[in-house]
Amino acid sequence: MVTPHSFFDLVETFPSSGCAICNLVKRDVNRYLNFVLYERVTKPDTQETFRAARGLCDQHGWQLPDYKGGVLGVAILYRACIAEVLQIIEESPASPDRGGIVRRLATNTDTQATALANQLDPVEPCPACALLQEREDEYQEIMAKYIAETRMEEGFRNSDGLCLRHFQGVLRQIKDGRERELLVSIQVGHFEALKDELEQFINQHDYRHLDEEMAGERDSWLRAIARLGGEKGVFGLRRGDRRRK
Ligand SMILES: [Zn+2]
Ligand SMILES: [Zn+2]
């Protein structure tokens, strides 16, 4: 059986700071956005996806300005999205006459206005969020499958641990009791170490310890934010949105 790429991705990412799965899905989303901006903006299927999603979610949309030289691509894609929104408004039954849109809406019923508001909802999730979820499922599955493999186990043990969400995701995938225990015991070790550091950090702020030098616990509060909510800038705000599907 061939060992999947994701196995090596995980093993190679564990030594970096933070949750390995967060770091990997962030990398994959970056690659996707890069690919879309530089190679796909004029492709009809890409434009269709963006139109259906009404553009990217807040989180992922605001990552676009980081792609230097991608400005034109953003303009082309978003022109399609705005055109979609305008088309929905124009074609809405809430447009009974040829007067200006503001006048037409003003004369419409509550039901028609609500219908139009609903039609403007995205019919597809943010494509970056969708990719993220797909990749996340894969990493969780692979980590669960290979947790007892030495490189996976050791890598995880020597890492910063998973964020809460990804720990839950991997835990749900493991079917073997002993392997489940292994995952939980390693993650508990990571959480306990972080809790100790927070304890030290808090104690250092006691006036009796003010002259003591801080060590690794200096950024423990930041790592606690990441370990519970996920690494910075990973999750989109319309993540997993399956409305109207
Ligand atoms: Zn994570
Ligand atoms: Zn998103």
Side-chain angles (χ1 to χ4, degrees):
M1 198 177 66
V2 183
T3 312
H5 276 301
S6 308
F7 170 89
F8 297 105
D9 280 341
L10 282 161
V11 169
E12 284 162 20
T13 308
F14 280 133
S16 307
S17 67
C19 164
I21 298 183
C22 277
N23 288 334
L24 285 169
V25 294
K26 197 172 174 181
R27 177 201 69 174
D28 293 346
V29 165
N30 285 343
R31 284 181 182 171
Y32 165 76
L33 293 178
N34 193 66
F35 173 66
V36 164
L37 280 187
Y38 297 112
E39 295 181 44
R40 305 287 310 174
V41 285
T42 56
K43 304 281 186 219
D45 59 331
T46 304
Q47 293 207 358
E48 189 44 52
T49 303
F50 270 69
R51 289 169 83 114
R54 319 285 185 246
L56 299 175
C57 72
D58 190 13
Q59 177 71 262
H60 292 127
W62 282 107
Q63 289 175 15
L64 293 175
D66 296 341
Y67 295 86
K68 306 294 173 219
V71 181
L72 181 62
V74 175
I76 293 169
L77 278 174
Y78 276 76
R79 177 181 59 186
C81 300
I82 306 274
E84 177 78 11
V85 166
L86 283 172
Q87 194 182 333
I88 293 167
I89 298 171
E90 287 298 319
E91 288 173 359
S92 158
S95 308
D97 62 39
R98 290 180 168 278
I101 185 68
V102 176
R103 209 190 94 215
R104 279 185 243 147
L105 286 175
T107 58
N108 277 318
T109 64
D110 286 355
T111 324
Q112 285 170 322
T114 305
L116 172 60
N118 291 341
Q119 277 175 338
L120 290 167
D121 269 347
V123 288
E124 292 285 341
C126 159
C129 285
L131 175 103
L132 187 153
Q133 194 150 5
E134 198 182 288
R135 301 300 301 140
E136 181 179 61
D137 288 347
E138 155 124 7
Y139 292 124
Q140 287 173 174
E141 211 175 285
I142 294 299
M143 187 161 166
K145 187 170 173 190
Y146 291 91
I147 186 66
E149 209 271 359
T150 316
R151 281 171 293 176
M152 185 69 86
E153 182 188 336
E154 285 309 306
F156 179 41
R157 201 181 291 282
N158 296 317
S159 75
D160 282 349
L162 294 171
C163 69
L164 183 61
R165 180 186 172 81
H166 290 140
F167 167 57
Q168 291 172 281
V170 177
L171 181 59
R172 287 193 181 103
Q173 296 283 332
I174 302 182
K175 304 288 174 257
D176 177 272
R178 201 190 61 80
E179 294 184 357
R180 217 177 275 137
E181 239 169 64
L182 179 64
L183 175 92
V184 174
S185 69
I186 296 175
Q187 182 69 23
V188 163
H190 290 307
F191 277 148
E192 279 177 347
L194 182 55
K195 184 169 161 280
D196 287 347
E197 286 190 89
L198 288 168
E199 216 84 72
Q200 285 171 35
F201 181 84
I202 292 162
N203 284 337
Q204 295 271 2
H205 281 75
D206 187 306
Y207 71 96
R208 286 162 296 186
H209 302 281
L210 276 181
D211 49 352
E212 286 174 23
E213 275 284 309
M214 278 210 203
E217 70 273 15
R218 189 178 287 110
D219 64 351
S220 56
W221 60 283
L222 283 170
R223 282 180 283 123
I225 293 173
R227 248 14 60 76
L228 291 186
E231 297 300 319
K232 192 176 177 186
V234 173
F235 299 118
L237 298 179
R238 296 203 310 247
R239 198 160 167 278
D241 192 343
R242 294 280 188 268
R243 269 178 303 170
R244 298 166 62 86
K245 273 193 120 179

